[in-house]
Structure formats: C-alpha cells, structure tokens
Amino acid sequence: MFSNILTAAICGMDASIVHAEVDVSHGLPGFLMVGYLGSEVREATERVRVALKNTGITLPPMRITVNLSPADIRKSGTSFDLPVAVGILQALGHVEEKETEKVMFAGELSLDGEVNEIRGVLPIVRMAGERGIKRCIVPWENEKEGAWIPNMEVIGVSSLKEVIELLKGKDREEGNGGKRNGDRAGTKGGQKDGNAKERGRTETDAGKGGKRERKKQENHSEYILCAAARQPGKGEGGLDFAQVRGQAGAKRAAEIAAAGFHNLLLIGPPGAGKTMIAKRISGILPLLTKEECLEVSSIYSISGLLNRRNSFISTRPFLSPHHTITAQALSGGGAYPRPGVISLAHKGILFLDEMPEFGSTALDMLRQPLEEKTIQIVRLGGSYEYPADFMLVGAMNPCPCGYYPDMERCRCTQTAIRKYQNRLSGPVLDRIDICAEVPPLTMEELEEGGRERQEGQETSADIRSRVLQAREMQRRRGSGKSNAALTLEETREFCRLDKDGKELLEKAFGKMKLSARAYSRILKVARTIADLDGSETALKKHLAEAISCRVASGGYWER
C-alpha cells in the first residue's frame, strides 16, 4: 500500500515541490520518516498519529515509512503534517488516489485534529500555479493569503476531518446538523467555524450533490492598487508633510530621495524634526506594482507575518529597528535562514534612527546589500538569497550631546566629536547619496505652525505629485528603474552633462576627492533633480545641487 502526495518546502524566497511518499506494509509496527528532516518535521510522527486517532482513525499495527522526496533538500517547519496524514489515509484506503491527483497539501496538525496556520503559503501557492497545479488545500487562516494567486483554487480547512470529507466529495455540513466539524463552544475550532461567511464559501442546492461553489478573487491587480491608494500622500501612520514646520532644505532632500529612491542621511540636533520627516517619506513614494506587491508579500509570508486579517502587503514597508539590533537580525539568518529586517524593508524604507548608535558590524553589513540589492546567506544546509532593495534613511546628531557646531551649547570635546562621527565608516557614507541638515526651529516657525495651514505650506500630496511626474520621466526613458538603480551603462546613457556641467564636476571631483562610486551617485542624483524640474538634460544647476547633497551641511565631515 503506497501513496504519493504533493507538498512543498520553502528554500529561500522560492518553494520546491516535495513528494510525501508513504508506504504502509506488514512488519514490525513503527512510524519512520526520512528525507533530510529538521527536528520539527521528525516530530510530525506523533502529531500525525494522535491527530488521526482523535479524528476517529486508528492506525493498524503495521510498519509506516514516509519519505519526503527529494532527500537532498532540507525540510523544516510544520507544513508537512497534513500531507503526511493524507498520504497515510490514502495508503490505508480511506481516500481514493484520484482525489489527491494534482492537489497540493500544506498544514500543521494539532493533536485534536485541527489544522493550524503555517508560514510560506503565498510562495507555495505561487509555485504550484507555475507548475500547473490548480488546487491547493491549506489551513483556513492562510486561505486568503493563497487566494491572491490568480487561476488557483485555494481551499482553507480547519480540521483533518474536514479534509477527509472534502476528498470524499461530501458536503462540509452534511450530517452535522448544520454545525461545522469541530464546532465546540470555547474552542479554536468553534471560533473558526463561526466565520463561515468570511471564508467566502456558499453551499449549493441538494440537486447538485452538495458540492460547494467558491467565491473567487476578481481582478487582483485593481484591488491591490485600490488598497494601496486608500490614503494617497500619507506616510507612516497617515502622517503628512504639512505637519512639518520649516525645514525646507530637509523636505527638499526627502523629495529628491523619494523621486530617485536614493539613500538619505538627516543630521541635526535633538528635536529638530529628523524622525518626523523620515516617517512621512513613505507617503510621497509611488505605489507598489502588482509584481512588487507579490514579491514583498512573499517575504512576509515566509517570515510568518501574514494572517487572515492582513493577508497581503499592498503598501511600501517602513521599518525602524532599535539600535540594539544584531547584524544577524538585520541581515537575516539562523539555523534555518529567514529574511532579516533589510529584506522585510524590500521596496520600502529602512529607517535607522540614531544611526551612530548602531553597532559597527551591523552598519558595515549594509554595504553589500546597498550595492547589490540582494543579500546572500550561506549556511551548512545551503545558500539562500533574499531581495534587499530598500531605501536607507538615517538620522543622527552631529555629536554625542547633539548640539555641535553650536559651541555655546555643545559640551563635547573635539576628540569625542570625531569619535562619534567616525562610527559611520567611510564605505557606508560613500553609499549615502544625499546628506541634509535639519537645523533647530525658531520660535516664529513653531508659532506659525499653530495655524491651520501656512501660506505655501506643502502637503505630502503636493510633493507626491512631483515625485510621480519624475518617476514617469524615468519610466519613459525605458529603463523601468528608479534612478538609484541605474547600471553603469545606463548612467552614462541617461545622465549625460553639458559642457558647463562637465567642468563643474571635474572641479568637484578633484577638490572633494570623490570615489568612482560617489561620481556615479552624483550623476544619478543630478538626473533625479532634472526629472523633478521636468528637464530632459541634467543642467549645471541640477549638478550643483547634487554635489551640495554629497557634502554634510555645517562642515560635519570633510569628504
């Protein structure tokens, strides 16, 4: 008695098909699982055995052997419980083989037979669709997550008994007196079953044999764009640039950074508004495309951060980790590698407040992802690559006390100031396109902020409209990328300078001792400023502003 059930294993950002091969034969009774298994997968033997017993199916005293093939891919997580249980049921004759053909299963089992939530359903269902599989049976909590993949039938189940009835073609509520399987007051099964309408299923009439019709998600791309556009021009938490008084230079730097997806560093004393500005940048960025939504959502699915209520990421992420974060938590990793914070910030903003307070190892770890837009994690079990195309926004004080160069308030020695500023290494600073000073506000600026809206005070929607126009110019050039992501060849093609611009850049290159990377990044920023100005050519004035962005205002660094 042999069965073969389709399931999947998460390998980095992708999922790989796994065959749960089950053999039930006469011999010394036992339950053995093989196939390069993690500890949580090996524990599935007890979960499956007890879950089957509590579902009303007692395993006969026979030898059960389960192989998760291919055996050279490490299996981790608890998603293999359900396919192993279904494989045993099929091998024992409780389920017919034709009912499981081209059906993918994934889910964790509780000892009482409930099917629990797992991580990674979105990439699993996406891979299944690419392989021609049209039906996936997943935990009920993950059903909405998987339903975002078009042309796929994703069925959420809450119990093993429900799976058996489904595979036997029985109506879910048939013979249960109108109550769902596992409907017990005060239990999680009862809570799940009480949301039948939310599950998006309808029962057909008896003339159709009790078969169920499923409500399908229609026009995914339009829904994603509508969801992302619910509050256009709003930043993290619905914040608006109109709430930021003064700081015209810093807001201009934020606009340039958003228009080209450039890295930004804000420098100023405590309470000047650095964090306020950073939290509002996400509100002036363009919406995510459908493919970007799927990619970001896949990262969150693999990390176990999606649920039934929040089943899809349709807005740009904004992550602000505490400065005590470790390099591994920032980059990702672990015995079974998972995405880190920089991957969770993919296509969004990674905000490092009090940037010099972060460990030097953590900051220097950012150097490669900032260039490559990916991060590769190598462990004994294999090599994993995660995307890390984020916009780095940093905020820092100019010295430990925060008030340099105001020598009337600054209490720091020159040695302490240099030591503090040197916490940001040269290679990290070289990868920051724009530095902007955030000076302290005057009393007049704060009092004007009490009015409903100052004359000429711009909202996030105003700034965002210019950012979108600049992005449209970048799209029309045919690269399909933000200016910050241009390759060397594309930079030479799209960031050409006139004669005056070349002369200015020559002087700046010699005087500022620029690196080749800084030279290229200045050209990209100049191209972004020209896009905001609606100019097809980067003029001398655009280049001059880009060069000024490379110099930390106030003379904090000589670079």
Side-chain angles (χ1 to χ4, degrees):
M1 293 177 285
F2 175 81
S3 65
N4 190 337
I5 303 298
L6 288 176
T7 184
I10 298 296
C11 302
M13 276 293 294
D14 301 317
S16 298
I17 284 184
V18 172
H19 296 267
E21 302 171 342
V22 180
D23 179 79
V24 179
S25 57
H26 296 287
L28 187 65
F31 194 154
L32 177 66
M33 288 185 64
V34 295
Y36 199 9
L37 313 178
S39 58
E40 63 270 33
V41 184
R42 288 193 294 270
E43 294 168 353
T45 57
E46 290 304 306
R47 288 195 297 270
V48 169
R49 183 181 61 80
V50 178
L52 287 170
K53 177 181 71 69
N54 290 327
T55 305
I57 298 172
T58 304
L59 295 180
M62 303 178 73
R63 183 170 184 82
I64 301 174
T65 305
V66 178
N67 176 41
L68 297 181
S69 174
D72 61 343
I73 297 178
R74 187 173 184 87
K75 322 301 187 306
S76 62
T78 57
S79 62
F80 301 100
D81 294 6
L82 181 59
V84 169
V86 172
I88 293 173
L89 290 171
Q90 182 177 310
L92 293 175
H94 294 280
V95 174
E96 295 185 13
E97 182 178 350
K98 64 179 182 179
E99 298 297 335
T100 62
E101 188 176 357
K102 293 187 177 180
V103 180
M104 181 165 285
F105 297 83
E108 177 188 336
L109 292 177
S110 294
L111 297 184
D112 60 355
E114 296 289 334
V115 179
N116 294 335
E117 181 180 9
I118 58 172
R119 62 182 180 89
V121 165
L122 185 58
I124 288 175
V125 176
R126 191 177 189 180
M127 179 274 298
E130 293 170 353
R131 298 295 185 90
I133 300 170
K134 298 299 182 182
R135 197 181 198 193
C136 291
I137 296 179
V138 300
W140 173 74
E141 291 91 341
N142 300 112
E143 181 183 24
K144 284 187 175 180
E145 178 184 340
W148 287 105
I149 304 302
N151 304 320
M152 279 292 297
E153 183 185 11
V154 180
I155 301 177
V157 295
S158 60
S159 67
L160 186 56
K161 188 174 183 180
E162 186 178 339
V163 176
I164 298 172
E165 292 180 352
L166 177 66
L167 295 177
K168 288 183 177 181
K170 293 183 179 180
D171 186 18
R172 185 182 314 272
E173 299 189 13
E174 182 182 350
N176 288 327
K179 295 185 178 180
R180 304 177 66 75
N181 297 327
D183 189 5
R184 299 181 297 275
T187 67
K188 61 183 178 182
Q191 293 170 357
K192 294 177 184 177
D193 299 339
N195 293 319
K197 291 183 179 180
E198 183 185 354
R199 300 176 71 165
R201 296 192 180 146
T202 58
E203 303 298 332
T204 61
D205 54 44
K208 293 184 179 179
K211 293 185 179 180
R212 296 159 301 167
E213 294 179 350
R214 297 180 48 77
K215 294 180 180 179
K216 296 183 179 180
Q217 299 275 0
E218 294 182 357
N219 206 335
H220 297 267
S221 58
E222 288 186 8
Y223 181 88
I224 293 169
L225 293 179
C226 290
R230 271 179 262 183
Q231 288 191 338
K234 298 295 183 181
E236 180 69 10
L239 303 176
D240 196 288
F241 265 102
Q243 300 161 340
V244 181
R245 303 305 172 183
Q247 308 300 1
K251 288 193 281 188
R252 170 64 174 174
E255 179 181 340
I256 297 171
F261 214 61
H262 300 290
N263 301 319
L264 172 66
L265 178 62
L266 301 170
I267 309 171
K274 303 185 293 294
T275 304
M276 284 186 68
I277 293 171
K279 287 186 175 181
R280 286 157 177 79
I281 294 177
S282 59
I284 62 176
L285 288 171
L287 300 177
L288 291 171
T289 65
K290 179 183 177 182
E291 284 302 316
E292 288 173 339
C293 285
L294 286 172
E295 190 174 16
V296 174
S297 297
S298 294
I299 297 172
Y300 278 72
S301 177
I302 291 168
S303 303
L305 298 177
L306 295 184
N307 51 48
R308 189 168 182 83
R309 183 169 297 177
N310 183 26
S311 62
F312 203 75
I313 305 297
S314 58
T315 56
R316 293 188 182 270
F318 181 94
L319 277 84
S320 179
H322 193 262
H323 63 261
T324 56
I325 189 172
T326 63
Q328 181 171 307
L330 201 59
S331 64
Y336 306 113
R338 295 191 187 182
V341 171
I342 63 172
S343 293
L344 295 174
H346 181 60
K347 298 300 180 183
I349 295 175
L350 176 63
F351 177 48
L352 302 184
D353 201 3
E354 306 298 342
M355 197 169 174
E357 300 298 334
F358 284 77
S360 59
T361 303
L363 290 178
D364 287 336
M365 183 278 304
L366 294 173
R367 288 154 60 174
Q368 185 180 357
L370 285 172
E371 287 293 320
E372 302 296 333
K373 307 302 181 185
T374 60
I375 184 164
Q376 191 173 44
I377 301 172
V378 181
R379 294 292 184 269
L380 184 62
S383 178
Y384 306 86
E385 185 173 275
Y386 296 109
D389 185 7
F390 58 90
M391 175 180 168
L392 176 64
V393 178
M396 64 173 288
N397 298 325
C399 67
C401 77
Y403 297 106
Y404 179 80
D406 184 355
M407 302 312 296
E408 292 183 0
R409 303 180 67 187
C410 181
R411 306 183 303 272
C412 306
T413 65
Q414 289 298 319
T415 301
I417 294 171
R418 284 195 299 271
K419 183 177 179 181
Y420 183 80
Q421 294 178 357
N422 287 338
R423 292 182 184 178
L424 300 186
S425 65
V428 172
L429 287 173
D430 203 41
R431 288 165 169 81
I432 295 176
D433 304 318
I434 302 171
C435 287
E437 183 179 9
V438 187
L441 293 173
T442 64
M443 188 68 178
E444 290 77 12
E445 289 173 321
L446 290 173
E447 288 179 346
E448 288 176 351
R451 301 175 187 172
E452 184 174 340
R453 178 177 175 181
Q454 300 181 58
E455 184 179 354
Q457 183 72 31
E458 289 189 314
T459 65
S460 290
D462 298 329
I463 301 173
R464 186 172 182 270
S465 64
R466 294 195 297 269
V467 170
L468 293 179
Q469 291 174 3
R471 286 295 184 100
E472 178 61 20
M473 288 191 67
Q474 297 169 31
R475 187 192 66 80
R476 289 202 308 266
R477 279 196 292 269
S479 65
K481 305 175 181 176
S482 62
N483 284 335
L486 294 177
T487 63
L488 181 59
E489 292 75 15
E490 290 168 338
T491 302
R492 290 172 178 169
E493 180 180 357
F494 301 132
C495 306
R496 294 176 181 174
L497 301 173
D498 56 15
K499 183 179 178 181
D500 292 339
K502 290 180 180 178
E503 290 178 355
L504 176 61
L505 188 55
E506 266 184 40
K507 294 178 182 178
F509 190 87
K511 186 175 181 179
M512 298 170 63
K513 297 181 175 59
L514 297 174
S515 66
R517 180 188 293 111
Y519 170 85
S520 176
R521 288 178 179 264
I522 285 176
L523 289 176
K524 294 176 184 179
V525 174
R527 179 64 266 174
T528 299
I529 297 171
D531 291 340
L532 287 169
D533 204 22
S535 174
E536 295 293 339
T537 305
L539 305 177
K540 182 179 179 180
K541 63 178 182 178
H542 304 139
L543 183 64
E545 186 174 1
I547 292 172
S548 69
C549 290
R550 288 295 301 183
V551 181
S553 303
Y556 298 134
W557 282 286
E558 291 293 333
R559 59 186 186 94

PDB file of all heavy atoms in Angstrom, residues 56 67 69 107 119 131 153 209 234 236 268 333 354 372 384-385 391 417 468 481 533 545:
ATOM      1  N   GLY A  56     -10.815   9.824  14.644  1.00  0.00           N
ATOM      2  CA  GLY A  56     -11.596   8.604  14.525  1.00  0.00           C
ATOM      3  C   GLY A  56     -10.951   7.535  13.676  1.00  0.00           C
ATOM      4  O   GLY A  56     -11.595   6.547  13.326  1.00  0.00           O
ATOM      5  N   ASN A  67       8.762   9.022   3.198  1.00  0.00           N
ATOM      6  CA  ASN A  67       9.937   9.654   2.608  1.00  0.00           C
ATOM      7  C   ASN A  67       9.521  10.976   1.979  1.00  0.00           C
ATOM      8  O   ASN A  67       8.636  11.019   1.128  1.00  0.00           O
ATOM      9  CB  ASN A  67      10.562   8.747   1.546  1.00  0.00           C
ATOM     10  CG  ASN A  67      11.735   9.430   0.844  1.00  0.00           C
ATOM     11  OD1 ASN A  67      12.531  10.105   1.486  1.00  0.00           O
ATOM     12  ND2 ASN A  67      11.815   9.279  -0.469  1.00  0.00           N
ATOM     13  N   SER A  69      10.567  13.443  -0.492  1.00  0.00           N
ATOM     14  CA  SER A  69      11.491  13.471  -1.624  1.00  0.00           C
ATOM     15  C   SER A  69      11.367  14.793  -2.391  1.00  0.00           C
ATOM     16  O   SER A  69      10.254  15.327  -2.499  1.00  0.00           O
ATOM     17  CB  SER A  69      11.172  12.294  -2.554  1.00  0.00           C
ATOM     18  OG  SER A  69      11.937  12.350  -3.730  1.00  0.00           O
ATOM     19  N   GLY A 107       0.029  22.103   5.815  1.00  0.00           N
ATOM     20  CA  GLY A 107      -0.641  22.486   7.055  1.00  0.00           C
ATOM     21  C   GLY A 107      -0.070  21.749   8.256  1.00  0.00           C
ATOM     22  O   GLY A 107       0.476  20.652   8.126  1.00  0.00           O
ATOM     23  N   ARG A 119       3.580  29.148   7.830  1.00  0.00           N
ATOM     24  CA  ARG A 119       4.179  30.269   7.101  1.00  0.00           C
ATOM     25  C   ARG A 119       4.570  29.816   5.694  1.00  0.00           C
ATOM     26  O   ARG A 119       4.800  28.638   5.439  1.00  0.00           O
ATOM     27  CB  ARG A 119       5.411  30.794   7.849  1.00  0.00           C
ATOM     28  CG  ARG A 119       6.535  29.789   8.015  1.00  0.00           C
ATOM     29  CD  ARG A 119       7.695  30.369   8.810  1.00  0.00           C
ATOM     30  NE  ARG A 119       8.778  29.403   8.976  1.00  0.00           N
ATOM     31  CZ  ARG A 119       9.768  29.249   8.119  1.00  0.00           C
ATOM     32  NH1 ARG A 119       9.842  29.995   7.037  1.00  0.00           N
ATOM     33  NH2 ARG A 119      10.719  28.349   8.342  1.00  0.00           N
ATOM     34  N   ARG A 131       3.665  25.466 -11.755  1.00  0.00           N
ATOM     35  CA  ARG A 131       3.863  24.058 -12.120  1.00  0.00           C
ATOM     36  C   ARG A 131       2.604  23.403 -12.667  1.00  0.00           C
ATOM     37  O   ARG A 131       2.587  22.197 -12.884  1.00  0.00           O
ATOM     38  CB  ARG A 131       4.355  23.276 -10.899  1.00  0.00           C
ATOM     39  CG  ARG A 131       5.702  23.735 -10.357  1.00  0.00           C
ATOM     40  CD  ARG A 131       6.822  23.497 -11.353  1.00  0.00           C
ATOM     41  NE  ARG A 131       8.115  23.826 -10.811  1.00  0.00           N
ATOM     42  CZ  ARG A 131       8.893  22.974 -10.172  1.00  0.00           C
ATOM     43  NH1 ARG A 131       8.485  21.720 -10.000  1.00  0.00           N
ATOM     44  NH2 ARG A 131      10.064  23.344  -9.702  1.00  0.00           N
ATOM     45  N   GLU A 153      -7.304  27.419  -7.301  1.00  0.00           N
ATOM     46  CA  GLU A 153      -8.350  27.107  -6.338  1.00  0.00           C
ATOM     47  C   GLU A 153      -7.684  26.805  -5.002  1.00  0.00           C
ATOM     48  O   GLU A 153      -7.014  25.782  -4.846  1.00  0.00           O
ATOM     49  CB  GLU A 153      -9.196  25.916  -6.791  1.00  0.00           C
ATOM     50  CG  GLU A 153     -10.340  25.613  -5.838  1.00  0.00           C
ATOM     51  CD  GLU A 153     -11.103  24.369  -6.226  1.00  0.00           C
ATOM     52  OE1 GLU A 153     -10.625  23.636  -7.108  1.00  0.00           O
ATOM     53  OE2 GLU A 153     -12.170  24.122  -5.636  1.00  0.00           O
ATOM     54  N   GLY A 209     -25.727  17.731  -5.676  1.00  0.00           N
ATOM     55  CA  GLY A 209     -24.929  16.749  -4.949  1.00  0.00           C
ATOM     56  C   GLY A 209     -24.182  17.327  -3.778  1.00  0.00           C
ATOM     57  O   GLY A 209     -23.221  16.733  -3.300  1.00  0.00           O
ATOM     58  N   LYS A 234      -0.086  59.940   2.151  1.00  0.00           N
ATOM     59  CA  LYS A 234       0.060  59.789   3.597  1.00  0.00           C
ATOM     60  C   LYS A 234       1.244  58.891   3.893  1.00  0.00           C
ATOM     61  O   LYS A 234       1.483  57.899   3.213  1.00  0.00           O
ATOM     62  CB  LYS A 234      -1.204  59.196   4.211  1.00  0.00           C
ATOM     63  CG  LYS A 234      -2.442  60.075   4.031  1.00  0.00           C
ATOM     64  CD  LYS A 234      -2.319  61.375   4.776  1.00  0.00           C
ATOM     65  CE  LYS A 234      -3.593  62.210   4.632  1.00  0.00           C
ATOM     66  NZ  LYS A 234      -3.492  63.499   5.341  1.00  0.00           N
ATOM     67  N   GLU A 236       3.845  57.009   7.107  1.00  0.00           N
ATOM     68  CA  GLU A 236       3.678  56.022   8.158  1.00  0.00           C
ATOM     69  C   GLU A 236       2.658  56.520   9.169  1.00  0.00           C
ATOM     70  O   GLU A 236       2.785  57.593   9.759  1.00  0.00           O
ATOM     71  CB  GLU A 236       5.027  55.786   8.854  1.00  0.00           C
ATOM     72  CG  GLU A 236       4.981  54.787   9.976  1.00  0.00           C
ATOM     73  CD  GLU A 236       4.746  53.378   9.476  1.00  0.00           C
ATOM     74  OE1 GLU A 236       4.814  53.159   8.266  1.00  0.00           O
ATOM     75  OE2 GLU A 236       4.502  52.504  10.313  1.00  0.00           O
ATOM     76  N   GLY A 268      21.118  66.623  12.499  1.00  0.00           N
ATOM     77  CA  GLY A 268      20.677  67.811  13.215  1.00  0.00           C
ATOM     78  C   GLY A 268      20.556  67.558  14.698  1.00  0.00           C
ATOM     79  O   GLY A 268      20.647  66.417  15.175  1.00  0.00           O
ATOM     80  N   GLY A 333      19.026  35.211   8.739  1.00  0.00           N
ATOM     81  CA  GLY A 333      19.876  34.061   9.014  1.00  0.00           C
ATOM     82  C   GLY A 333      19.231  33.122  10.006  1.00  0.00           C
ATOM     83  O   GLY A 333      18.012  33.003  10.080  1.00  0.00           O
ATOM     84  N   GLU A 354      19.047  57.472  15.132  1.00  0.00           N
ATOM     85  CA  GLU A 354      20.296  57.475  15.922  1.00  0.00           C
ATOM     86  C   GLU A 354      21.299  56.503  15.293  1.00  0.00           C
ATOM     87  O   GLU A 354      21.806  55.579  15.943  1.00  0.00           O
ATOM     88  CB  GLU A 354      20.004  57.096  17.384  1.00  0.00           C
ATOM     89  CG  GLU A 354      18.942  57.941  18.052  1.00  0.00           C
ATOM     90  CD  GLU A 354      19.326  59.419  18.133  1.00  0.00           C
ATOM     91  OE1 GLU A 354      20.523  59.738  17.996  1.00  0.00           O
ATOM     92  OE2 GLU A 354      18.419  60.254  18.293  1.00  0.00           O
ATOM     93  N   GLU A 372      24.210  45.643  -4.087  1.00  0.00           N
ATOM     94  CA  GLU A 372      23.709  44.505  -4.858  1.00  0.00           C
ATOM     95  C   GLU A 372      22.183  44.408  -4.849  1.00  0.00           C
ATOM     96  O   GLU A 372      21.608  43.715  -5.700  1.00  0.00           O
ATOM     97  CB  GLU A 372      24.298  43.197  -4.304  1.00  0.00           C
ATOM     98  CG  GLU A 372      25.821  43.141  -4.294  1.00  0.00           C
ATOM     99  CD  GLU A 372      26.416  43.196  -5.675  1.00  0.00           C
ATOM    100  OE1 GLU A 372      25.731  42.768  -6.627  1.00  0.00           O
ATOM    101  OE2 GLU A 372      27.561  43.679  -5.812  1.00  0.00           O
ATOM    102  N   TYR A 384      21.110  30.788   0.504  1.00  0.00           N
ATOM    103  CA  TYR A 384      19.803  31.413   0.337  1.00  0.00           C
ATOM    104  C   TYR A 384      19.998  32.871  -0.048  1.00  0.00           C
ATOM    105  O   TYR A 384      20.824  33.574   0.543  1.00  0.00           O
ATOM    106  CB  TYR A 384      18.983  31.322   1.630  1.00  0.00           C
ATOM    107  CG  TYR A 384      18.842  29.921   2.164  1.00  0.00           C
ATOM    108  CD1 TYR A 384      19.815  29.358   2.998  1.00  0.00           C
ATOM    109  CD2 TYR A 384      17.743  29.138   1.824  1.00  0.00           C
ATOM    110  CE1 TYR A 384      19.698  28.070   3.481  1.00  0.00           C
ATOM    111  CE2 TYR A 384      17.607  27.847   2.305  1.00  0.00           C
ATOM    112  CZ  TYR A 384      18.587  27.317   3.129  1.00  0.00           C
ATOM    113  OH  TYR A 384      18.470  26.032   3.603  1.00  0.00           O
ATOM    114  N   GLU A 385      19.242  33.323  -1.022  1.00  0.00           N
ATOM    115  CA  GLU A 385      19.327  34.713  -1.467  1.00  0.00           C
ATOM    116  C   GLU A 385      17.976  35.384  -1.274  1.00  0.00           C
ATOM    117  O   GLU A 385      16.944  34.894  -1.750  1.00  0.00           O
ATOM    118  CB  GLU A 385      19.751  34.780  -2.931  1.00  0.00           C
ATOM    119  CG  GLU A 385      19.984  36.208  -3.413  1.00  0.00           C
ATOM    120  CD  GLU A 385      20.575  36.270  -4.810  1.00  0.00           C
ATOM    121  OE1 GLU A 385      21.811  36.171  -4.931  1.00  0.00           O
ATOM    122  OE2 GLU A 385      19.790  36.392  -5.774  1.00  0.00           O
ATOM    123  N   MET A 391      15.249  51.628   0.536  1.00  0.00           N
ATOM    124  CA  MET A 391      15.750  53.000   0.611  1.00  0.00           C
ATOM    125  C   MET A 391      16.212  53.245   2.043  1.00  0.00           C
ATOM    126  O   MET A 391      15.413  53.206   2.975  1.00  0.00           O
ATOM    127  CB  MET A 391      14.644  53.986   0.220  1.00  0.00           C
ATOM    128  CG  MET A 391      15.008  55.445   0.366  1.00  0.00           C
ATOM    129  SD  MET A 391      13.594  56.477  -0.127  1.00  0.00           S
ATOM    130  CE  MET A 391      14.138  58.076   0.460  1.00  0.00           C
ATOM    131  N   ILE A 417      33.793  64.315  19.466  1.00  0.00           N
ATOM    132  CA  ILE A 417      33.009  64.584  18.251  1.00  0.00           C
ATOM    133  C   ILE A 417      33.498  63.722  17.098  1.00  0.00           C
ATOM    134  O   ILE A 417      32.706  63.096  16.380  1.00  0.00           O
ATOM    135  CB  ILE A 417      33.077  66.080  17.894  1.00  0.00           C
ATOM    136  CG1 ILE A 417      32.370  66.918  18.962  1.00  0.00           C
ATOM    137  CG2 ILE A 417      32.441  66.332  16.523  1.00  0.00           C
ATOM    138  CD1 ILE A 417      32.574  68.409  18.808  1.00  0.00           C
ATOM    139  N   LEU A 468       5.795  61.643  -8.568  1.00  0.00           N
ATOM    140  CA  LEU A 468       5.210  60.764  -9.579  1.00  0.00           C
ATOM    141  C   LEU A 468       5.544  61.240 -10.990  1.00  0.00           C
ATOM    142  O   LEU A 468       5.773  60.426 -11.891  1.00  0.00           O
ATOM    143  CB  LEU A 468       3.690  60.683  -9.394  1.00  0.00           C
ATOM    144  CG  LEU A 468       3.205  59.989  -8.124  1.00  0.00           C
ATOM    145  CD1 LEU A 468       1.679  59.999  -8.069  1.00  0.00           C
ATOM    146  CD2 LEU A 468       3.727  58.562  -8.042  1.00  0.00           C
ATOM    147  N   LYS A 481      13.479  51.523 -14.237  1.00  0.00           N
ATOM    148  CA  LYS A 481      14.074  51.524 -12.904  1.00  0.00           C
ATOM    149  C   LYS A 481      14.031  52.925 -12.331  1.00  0.00           C
ATOM    150  O   LYS A 481      13.892  53.920 -13.048  1.00  0.00           O
ATOM    151  CB  LYS A 481      15.534  51.059 -12.956  1.00  0.00           C
ATOM    152  CG  LYS A 481      15.778  49.718 -13.603  1.00  0.00           C
ATOM    153  CD  LYS A 481      17.272  49.463 -13.685  1.00  0.00           C
ATOM    154  CE  LYS A 481      17.588  48.140 -14.357  1.00  0.00           C
ATOM    155  NZ  LYS A 481      19.047  47.935 -14.512  1.00  0.00           N
ATOM    156  N   ASP A 533      12.550  68.714 -12.187  1.00  0.00           N
ATOM    157  CA  ASP A 533      12.459  70.007 -12.873  1.00  0.00           C
ATOM    158  C   ASP A 533      11.825  69.882 -14.255  1.00  0.00           C
ATOM    159  O   ASP A 533      11.608  70.888 -14.936  1.00  0.00           O
ATOM    160  CB  ASP A 533      13.860  70.612 -12.991  1.00  0.00           C
ATOM    161  CG  ASP A 533      13.830  72.123 -13.142  1.00  0.00           C
ATOM    162  OD1 ASP A 533      12.820  72.737 -12.753  1.00  0.00           O
ATOM    163  OD2 ASP A 533      14.803  72.689 -13.665  1.00  0.00           O
ATOM    164  N   GLU A 545      23.321  71.258  -7.332  1.00  0.00           N
ATOM    165  CA  GLU A 545      22.515  70.839  -6.181  1.00  0.00           C
ATOM    166  C   GLU A 545      22.869  69.420  -5.766  1.00  0.00           C
ATOM    167  O   GLU A 545      22.915  69.102  -4.572  1.00  0.00           O
ATOM    168  CB  GLU A 545      21.028  70.946  -6.514  1.00  0.00           C
ATOM    169  CG  GLU A 545      20.128  70.662  -5.321  1.00  0.00           C
ATOM    170  CD  GLU A 545      18.662  70.897  -5.604  1.00  0.00           C
ATOM    171  OE1 GLU A 545      18.315  71.270  -6.750  1.00  0.00           O
ATOM    172  OE2 GLU A 545      17.840  70.700  -4.691  1.00  0.00           O
TER     173      GLU A 545
END
